[in-house]
Amino acid sequence: MRHLVLVGLGQAHRGVLAGLHELGDAFRVTVVAPHDGRFGGATAALLAGTLPAERLRWSLPSGVPVIRSRAVGCQPIHRRLWLADGRVLEYDRLSLNLGTRRMPDWVARPGARQPRTWSGHSVRQLVELRVVLDAEKQAAVVIVGGSLTALEVAGGLAARIGRDGLDVRLLWPDGATGPRTRTALRRLAWLGVDVIDAQAETLATGCLCCRDGRRFAADHVIWAGAAEPGSSALGMSLPAASAGLRVDRRLVSPRASSVHVLGATASLDGYAVLAGWDGERQARVVLSGLRAETGTHALKRYAPPLREMPIDLGPAAGLVSSTPWLGWWDQRRYRRIQTQGLDGSNPSVAPT
């Protein structure tokens, strides 16, 4: 019986585990994951306070052992995986889904009297943030955007604007927009979120500084930028590209046919990293590769999605109507907020 090791429990690996019955008895599976079993997928509802944190737990299939540790390196030639606790695992097939970098160094290490920082890519930190906001009320929150997660975080916090007096700003870099993203930004503006075209650069006393010199007062800064591979991916002794570990259309490393790489850890043909929200399609490709070893099915190949995923803005987004009149008003208000952010006349900007 072959040994399959899954490193990480993102959406793609949850899809692989859900399809284990397709493999029969050909593989025995071991999971390596450091977290406590809570997963994303309902970020907006969690932050809005309408979903208990316990509902985010996902149960593994029975009989699948879990090692609570992190992978720190692998040796593809001898098919060995090193863990942070010193153990070494031997495998026949390895799949890496190491997740997204939580936040850059300048956000992860705030100084004294600087805003408290959180990662929008960490479910554990979002649960802690929800508890803090329930206690504080009337806090100023700045979200550093550029990803689907940033929109979901903003949608969840938008439900607290009228209820808790929260002041929410979303810094969205120019160019990171598609049709559904633009619609989501307009809806967030209608709900009271200040959507501002800016790129964050550093933290200062009580505020967040942008590259163009503007400063925004903040009690909390949530980093939810574009997906990038975590630092642990660099220790895997696998071919890397500028964006992550290089894979082909089978989601296999080009120099290690026994290693699959998924999610934000993988760079398809050396270009942008794979979308984490497309994990189910990636899981089907991996399962087809595993079944092909038994000679029962042909290989499937992965193609990036052509459309954006529907964006979940949480319960507050239901207040926005699709009628033409409200659509016109929505666009008008969004343009006004964009203008305020661009010319620096926003009254919420912290003094220099």
Side-chain angles (χ1 to χ4, degrees):
M1 183 181 293
R2 300 179 181 90
H3 187 200
L4 170 64
V5 177
L6 304 179
V7 181
L9 270 177
Q11 183 177 0
H13 277 175
R14 297 203 299 275
V16 173
L17 290 170
L20 285 181
H21 62 279
E22 302 176 11
L23 304 178
D25 297 329
F27 290 89
R28 62 182 180 91
V29 181
T30 301
V31 174
V32 178
H35 54 71
D36 59 358
R38 286 182 294 197
F39 304 96
T43 301
L46 172 68
L47 290 177
T50 60
L51 180 72
E54 292 301 318
R55 293 281 299 277
L56 298 177
R57 294 191 180 276
W58 184 79
S59 300
L60 289 167
S62 59
V64 176
V66 180
I67 299 177
R68 300 296 183 192
S69 184
R70 295 181 181 273
V72 295
C74 76
Q75 191 178 35
I77 296 178
H78 298 96
R79 300 189 178 186
R80 293 172 182 165
L81 180 72
W82 280 271
L83 305 183
D85 57 11
R87 282 182 283 183
V88 179
L89 295 180
E90 295 187 355
Y91 62 85
D92 295 296
R93 294 297 288 265
L94 173 67
S95 182
L96 301 175
N97 186 13
L98 303 176
T100 303
R101 182 179 67 161
R102 293 293 183 249
M103 59 180 74
D105 291 339
W106 65 268
V107 180
R109 301 171 184 172
R113 300 176 61 189
Q114 292 183 355
R116 191 170 179 180
T117 58
W118 309 84
S119 172
H121 299 294
S122 170
V123 177
R124 178 183 58 82
Q125 292 195 26
L126 291 178
V127 172
E128 295 176 1
L129 173 62
R130 171 181 166 176
V131 175
V132 171
L133 293 179
D134 286 341
E136 283 188 0
K137 312 288 185 180
Q138 295 185 345
V141 181
V142 176
I143 306 166
V144 181
S147 68
L148 175 67
T149 300
L151 298 174
E152 294 178 345
V153 169
L157 296 180
R160 294 175 172 265
I161 292 177
R163 185 182 69 201
D164 299 337
L166 211 62
D167 185 9
V168 182
R169 303 179 192 90
L170 173 61
L171 305 187
W172 193 266
D174 184 29
T177 56
R180 288 181 175 173
T181 299
R182 289 193 293 269
T183 300
L185 291 174
R186 289 196 298 268
R187 292 190 174 189
L188 290 172
W190 173 266
L191 295 170
V193 177
D194 289 337
V195 182
I196 302 168
D197 181 6
Q199 292 189 0
E201 186 175 45
T202 186
L203 297 173
T205 302
C207 65
L208 175 69
C209 304
C210 297
R211 291 183 180 179
D212 56 8
R214 286 178 292 172
R215 298 187 177 190
F216 296 94
D219 299 309
H220 302 276
V221 172
I222 305 174
W223 171 265
E228 296 180 12
S231 58
S232 58
L234 301 178
M236 294 299 157
S237 302
L238 295 169
S242 58
L245 299 180
R246 193 182 184 97
V247 295
D248 57 21
R249 299 282 172 173
R250 299 172 299 157
L251 302 184
V252 172
S253 178
R255 295 186 182 177
S257 59
S258 62
V259 180
H260 292 275
V261 188
L262 311 175
T265 313
S267 174
L268 183 61
D269 295 331
Y271 296 102
V273 297
L274 302 185
W277 53 263
D278 197 35
E280 292 185 4
R281 294 176 65 240
Q282 298 169 31
R284 289 198 293 269
V285 174
V286 173
L287 287 171
S288 73
L290 297 176
R291 290 197 304 267
E293 284 200 3
T294 64
T296 57
H297 290 79
L299 281 171
K300 291 184 178 179
R301 298 182 183 273
Y302 179 77
L306 299 178
R307 296 183 179 180
E308 295 179 292
M309 180 183 180
I311 300 170
D312 177 20
L313 297 182
L319 299 175
V320 180
S321 172
S322 59
T323 59
W325 185 86
L326 282 181
W328 171 83
W329 180 258
D330 192 352
Q331 295 177 10
R332 184 173 181 272
R333 186 175 188 276
Y334 176 64
R335 285 196 297 267
R336 179 173 62 82
I337 291 178
Q338 282 287 78
T339 303
Q340 285 182 348
L342 290 172
D343 64 12
S345 61
N346 194 320
S348 61
V349 176
T352 58

